[in-house]
Amino acid sequence: MLGKETLLKIVFNKVAKLLLLSIAMAFAQTASAQGNTYPNKLLTLVVPFPAGGSADSVSRLLAKNLSERWRQPVVVINRPGAGTMIGLNAIATAAPDGYTIGIDSISHIVQPAVRAKILYDSLNDFTYISKLLEAPFVLTVNSSLPIYSVSDLTAYLKANPQKLNFASFGMGSAGHIFFEIYMQHTGTKATHVPYKGTGEATMAQLNGDAPLMFDMIVSPMPHIKNNRLRPLMVTTASRSKDLPDVPTSKELGIPELVMPTWFGLVGPKGISPEIQKELNSAVLAALRSPDMVELTAKQGLTPTPSTPEEFRKFVADSIRTMEKAAEVAKIAKVD
């Protein structure tokens, strides 16, 4: 027969084991719950642009809003170069766990039309989370010319084929392809003069060397306001609040030119539907935040959130439009 002390020890040991087992199970359940909660660690937001620009400032504010929502750090990593391809490749090759996401832009849809070699499949190597923001390109003409509308421009170019030059910020840039689309639609001809960047192209437009150009609305606005440039068309479905009297490409019957500059959020292909849903919800909330509304309004950007399906379809359609325009215009692809 067991003594009292021995019996107490046996009971104590059993109770201790049961207590330890309960604690272990509780920890396991907590760890499991945490492991199934997204996100539960640091996230990386890849920005394929240099620090300091419009895309960078928007991205940093987006990261701040996401971090506050999730109570996890969201670190911005700038990966510029090769027309955003370096940054996009970093996104495409990341693990599809939702912890590496990145900023997409109109450059994504231009690259397949003008690049012979791309490091990723431009459509299929990404998870499309949401469009973020957009702003119109605007077609402007030097105000010294007697051209006050797109119909005036079309008539002038038909009467004077290749007499006028149009500027762009590079061979195969969005502005170049947009003007090619316009000429294909109207059966007109002008001479393309590419420049190294928007600054040089704008100077050429202002001094009359290349008086026509498609550019993002924020760049020509000061010259529109001082009447040195005249706006003829914006490349959005709805009129711009900054240029309410300027017709849209949709109104003018050029649906291929409903092509604003834009930013979106993407990740590598294979992100789970559950994580996509949370990312999409987080983006919608961030775009409604007062600080984001204030910043984007200052930069002439309009929030344009979308579903993942809508964003993917937009990218697919836009790639086809750009490729067709570049092919018809015989724009040679570069390596």
Side-chain angles (χ1 to χ4, degrees):
M1 188 170 180
L2 296 174
K4 188 176 181 181
E5 265 188 43
T6 304
L7 188 60
L8 284 172
K9 283 183 180 180
I10 292 171
V11 171
F12 177 81
N13 289 337
K14 285 186 177 181
V15 170
K17 285 179 181 179
L18 287 172
L19 183 60
L20 288 172
L21 181 61
S22 298
I23 293 170
M25 289 177 65
F27 273 116
Q29 289 171 356
T30 301
S32 176
Q34 289 176 341
N36 292 331
T37 301
Y38 170 86
N40 60 12
K41 62 180 182 179
L42 179 147
L43 294 91
T44 298
L45 179 65
V46 178
V47 180
F49 299 93
S54 176
D56 182 64
S57 59
V58 167
S59 301
R60 290 181 185 279
L61 187 53
L62 175 64
K64 172 180 172 290
N65 277 278
L66 295 178
S67 181
E68 290 173 353
R69 173 187 175 94
W70 292 325
R71 298 186 179 182
Q72 297 291 344
V74 180
V75 179
V76 173
I77 303 293
N78 295 91
R79 295 291 302 274
T84 73
M85 285 200 301
I86 289 175
L88 287 175
N89 189 56
I91 299 166
T93 55
D97 55 8
Y99 288 94
T100 298
I101 52 179
I103 299 298
D104 201 6
S105 72
I106 193 171
S107 297
H108 186 164
I109 63 173
V110 172
Q111 297 298 345
V114 300
R115 296 267 184 178
K117 296 177 182 177
I118 299 179
L119 300 172
Y120 44 79
D121 184 313
S122 294
L123 181 62
N124 296 314
D125 278 351
F126 298 90
T127 294
Y128 297 90
I129 296 160
S130 177
K131 280 185 74 177
L132 298 174
L133 302 154
E134 68 177 35
F137 277 77
V138 57
L139 173 60
T140 55
V141 61
N142 187 301
S143 296
S144 65
L145 291 170
I147 296 171
Y148 298 88
S149 66
V150 170
S151 58
D152 285 349
L153 175 61
T154 300
Y156 189 99
L157 292 177
K158 284 186 174 180
N160 304 276
Q162 295 187 317
K163 181 178 179 180
L164 293 183
N165 296 334
F166 71 93
S168 82
F169 36 91
M171 181 70 69
S173 63
H176 177 196
I177 295 178
F178 286 0
F179 210 96
E180 294 288 354
I181 292 173
Y182 159 73
M183 292 192 295
Q184 291 166 24
H185 184 84
T186 56
T188 54
K189 290 185 178 180
T191 302
H192 178 223
V193 183
Y195 292 87
K196 291 180 181 178
T198 300
E200 285 188 14
T202 299
M203 287 303 300
Q205 191 181 24
L206 293 172
N207 66 29
D209 289 341
L212 298 160
M213 183 163 67
F214 275 99
D215 198 1
M216 291 173 282
I217 192 169
V218 65
S219 300
M221 277 303 296
H223 308 298
I224 292 171
K225 289 178 178 178
N226 66 22
N227 297 315
R228 297 186 69 187
L229 296 177
R230 186 178 298 127
L232 305 179
M233 170 175 60
V234 292
T235 65
T236 40
S238 302
R239 292 200 178 195
S240 166
K241 64 181 184 302
D242 297 312
L243 296 172
D245 297 326
V246 178
T248 69
S249 48
K250 184 177 181 179
E251 290 176 78
L252 294 170
I254 314 176
E256 300 91 344
L257 276 177
V258 180
M259 189 70 69
T261 188
W262 53 268
F263 298 115
L265 191 69
V266 296
K269 69 176 180 181
I271 293 177
S272 72
E274 294 77 17
I275 292 178
Q276 286 184 54
K277 184 177 179 181
E278 171 55 28
L279 285 166
N280 186 269
S281 297
V283 165
L284 301 189
L287 290 176
R288 289 192 296 264
S289 66
D291 50 0
M292 184 68 81
V293 170
E294 181 182 3
L295 175 64
T296 54
K298 285 180 181 177
Q299 297 189 358
L301 295 162
T302 301
T304 53
S306 69
T307 66
E309 295 76 18
E310 289 169 341
F311 187 19
R312 190 181 195 282
K313 184 178 185 303
F314 168 79
V315 170
D317 292 346
S318 299
I319 287 174
R320 284 193 293 270
T321 296
M322 290 291 189
E323 287 181 327
K324 180 181 177 183
E327 183 180 348
V328 173
K330 296 181 172 59
I331 298 173
K333 291 188 175 185
V334 298
D335 288 338

